[in-house]
Amino acid sequence: MTATRSALTYDVFVAPEKPFVAPTPAVGDAPAWDPTTSTLIFGARDAVLVDPLMTVREATALADWVALHDRRLTTVYITHGHGDHYLGLPIVLDRFPDARVVAAAGTVRQMQDGQALDNSLRTRFPGQIADTVPLPEPLSSPELQLEGRPILVIDTGHTDTVDTTSLHVPDLDLIVSGDVAYNHCHMFVGATTSESRAEWIASLDRLAELHPAAVVCGHKDPTQGNPPAVLGESRGYLEYYGQLRDAATPDGELFDAMVDRYPGWVSRQQFLILGAATAP
């Protein structure tokens, strides 16, 4: 889907849910990775790509999709240090070798320290992920430029992992949230604590204070648009999950309660909701 309001425009690519190798979970659906987004922000000549996905196959499709926009890809930005958002980078760079790859300093640190996590993903997707991935350049300023228009980097702290970021495009009243918000997709809350959920909720509130017209989430139901309501919905999900955890709800009952509360949400995955052994 494409949206425009100024000299800049954005478009969203959604890589569909995909199965991975793992033991059969005790609850929920068969092991599958949640649908993941990549966002292209572009002007008359140039473009910025946010999060180059994970597998060779989906990154190849993403590169083909970017090429269809007939813009010069100047920049690839990575929102946070989870490999499903950056392991496809070598495939994209093969197609667009002149693109500059950047991320916040915290994201670069997480990528440097994340070899075990990356290898875990390669085990789950055997033969589907590049062997080596270059590190991005750490940004010295919390701002990108696209044809003279600002794209602002927002430090969102500890959300579904540490050192996460979102992007704000004032010209479009657009937020590209990374994994700070999810869109009708069960959230990766299994590894959270009361403290980290409170920090996550504060980051959602900070994004909401910008009063965006659209929010592109890192994971979403492909049938959904990009409404700002996802910020409040994600906040409510975290609050309800926290209530169940505070009540010492057994894992099986907690999983069922989350699915019952959000029956239309995709990716009813044990690893997302309970943080089992298959969690990233």
Side-chain angles (χ1 to χ4, degrees):
M1 59 190 69
T2 304
T4 185
R5 199 192 133 204
S6 72
L8 300 183
T9 304
Y10 76 95
D11 203 356
V12 182
F13 182 98
V14 184
E17 190 174 62
K18 49 193 172 290
F20 63 85
V21 176
T24 301
V27 293
D29 297 336
W33 209 262
D34 32 337
T36 309
T37 70
S38 185
T39 302
L40 191 72
I41 307 163
F42 54 99
R45 303 173 307 279
D46 298 336
V48 171
L49 182 67
V50 186
D51 289 345
L53 303 178
M54 175 168 56
T55 69
V56 170
R57 185 175 182 180
E58 65 192 9
T60 299
L62 174 65
D64 290 342
W65 175 84
V66 170
L68 288 175
H69 290 78
D70 198 23
R71 302 297 195 277
R72 181 173 67 105
L73 185 63
T74 63
T75 308
V76 177
Y77 180 81
I78 297 169
T79 58
H80 65 290
H82 274 164
D84 54 332
H85 295 267
Y86 68 76
L87 288 171
L89 178 60
I91 311 306
V92 172
L93 288 180
D94 281 348
R95 189 70 170 271
F96 305 101
D98 295 330
R100 176 191 181 205
V101 184
V102 297
T107 298
V108 178
R109 286 194 300 270
Q110 294 306 313
M111 291 174 67
Q112 289 173 319
D113 296 339
Q115 189 59 49
L117 175 59
D118 291 351
N119 287 339
S120 173
L121 289 170
R122 291 186 178 94
T123 298
R124 294 174 201 175
F125 295 93
Q128 301 178 58
I129 295 175
D131 292 332
T132 59
V133 179
L135 285 174
E137 171 190 340
L139 286 171
S140 58
S141 167
E143 183 176 316
L144 305 172
Q145 289 284 322
L146 175 59
E147 296 185 358
R149 311 306 300 170
I151 300 175
L152 308 177
V153 177
I154 302 172
D155 179 2
T156 46
H158 193 167
T159 57
D160 78 347
T161 187
V162 297
D163 293 325
T164 65
T165 67
S166 299
L167 293 180
H168 179 215
V169 188
D171 278 37
L172 294 170
D173 288 337
L174 170 70
I175 288 173
V176 183
S177 76
D179 283 1
V180 182
Y182 285 57
N183 186 344
H184 289 221
C185 177
H186 285 283
M187 299 171 69
F188 180 37
V189 291
T192 61
T193 64
S194 295
E195 293 75 16
S196 69
R197 287 191 295 274
E199 186 172 348
W200 194 341
I201 287 170
S203 293
L204 285 164
D205 290 345
R206 183 181 177 193
L207 296 183
E209 289 171 358
L210 296 171
H211 302 292
V215 177
V216 179
C217 300
H219 298 282
K220 64 176 288 185
D221 177 343
T223 69
Q224 299 294 312
N226 303 299
V230 297
L231 298 174
E233 291 169 353
S234 296
R235 191 188 205 282
Y237 189 100
L238 291 168
E239 290 175 333
Y240 184 60
Y241 183 85
Q243 291 167 13
L244 295 173
R245 280 297 185 206
D246 290 345
T249 307
D251 279 356
E253 293 179 20
L254 184 151
F255 186 93
D256 289 343
M258 295 304 296
V259 170
D260 289 346
R261 178 84 165 217
Y262 299 94
W265 288 30
V266 299
S267 295
R268 299 176 300 180
Q269 291 292 323
Q270 175 179 305
F271 82 94
L272 291 173
I273 297 173
L274 300 180
T278 54

